[in-house]
Amino acid sequence: MAIRIDRIVFLIIAVALLEGATSETKYKVGDDYGWRIPDNASYYENWVRGKKFEVGDSLEFNWTATHNVFEVTTKTEYDACDKTNGIRKDTSPATFDLTENGTYYYICTIGSHCNLGQKVTIVVGNGNSSSLPNNHAALSAVLSTITIVAASLVHLCSFLLY
């Protein structure tokens, strides 16, 4: 029994659409520079410019010297390099999953590293915390579902007509 070309095309389209609906980006904080005391205090602020962080993405912090990464809970704590409230990871690489829209603050709690610029603010989606998925992911999922249903109906009709 020969495989019909419409079945192959359907499978290719379905796989491609599902991949697009679930795409996520893993950001290596600082890229090749990594997570360390920057030469320029605004290095990480400049690093985030032009990046669009979305729900489903993740941050990977990599370092080689004595560092850690601490997710603080408020901008006030971030600005003050406050090391009391949050989630600390001491082993590199340290990964944080971006599970909802909002603004997230990360610092290094070793010595004065934070005060020297080893800190970064990440804005996910529109920056407002919400349990709703971001617009891009939601639209992609809806379009993928509609396309798969439509392709399935076309495939069913072609099967019934032949």
Side-chain angles (χ1 to χ4, degrees):
M1 183 171 146
I3 296 177
R4 293 184 37 185
I5 193 73
D6 62 331
R7 290 183 183 160
I8 294 171
V9 170
F10 168 74
L11 288 174
I12 291 171
I13 291 171
V15 168
L17 289 172
L18 287 173
E19 174 64 25
T22 60
S23 66
E24 57 187 41
T25 302
K26 178 182 271 187
Y27 290 94
K28 289 189 177 191
V29 176
D31 295 323
D32 291 337
Y33 189 80
W35 182 241
R36 61 182 172 154
I37 301 170
D39 298 329
N40 173 348
S42 61
Y43 175 81
Y44 293 105
E45 182 181 315
N46 293 332
W47 176 79
V48 299
R49 281 200 185 110
K51 292 178 175 54
K52 184 161 176 52
F53 301 97
E54 297 290 345
V55 172
D57 292 346
S58 63
L59 303 173
E60 182 178 277
F61 292 81
N62 294 287
W63 62 87
T64 55
T66 304
H67 299 291
N68 64 22
V69 62
F70 190 71
E71 181 182 358
V72 297
T73 55
T74 67
K75 181 168 180 9
T76 302
E77 293 169 333
Y78 174 82
D79 291 339
C81 293
D82 186 335
K83 307 168 186 175
T84 56
N85 294 314
I87 300 168
R88 187 175 82 202
K89 295 188 179 184
D90 295 313
T91 306
S92 177
T95 301
F96 289 87
D97 295 324
L98 304 175
T99 58
E100 63 181 52
N101 290 332
T103 303
Y104 300 89
Y105 306 98
Y106 303 92
I107 66 173
C108 179
T109 66
I110 306 296
S112 61
H113 294 191
C114 177
N115 291 319
L116 294 170
Q118 192 175 0
K119 60 186 190 173
V120 64
T121 301
I122 304 294
V123 177
V124 178
N126 61 10
N128 294 323
S129 185
S130 168
S131 59
L132 296 175
N134 65 69
N135 292 338
H136 174 72
L139 179 60
S140 181
V142 167
L143 291 176
S144 295
T145 302
I146 290 170
T147 304
I148 290 170
V149 169
S152 297
L153 289 172
V154 167
H155 178 69
L156 179 63
C157 289
S158 69
F159 178 77
L160 293 173
L161 294 174
Y162 291 104

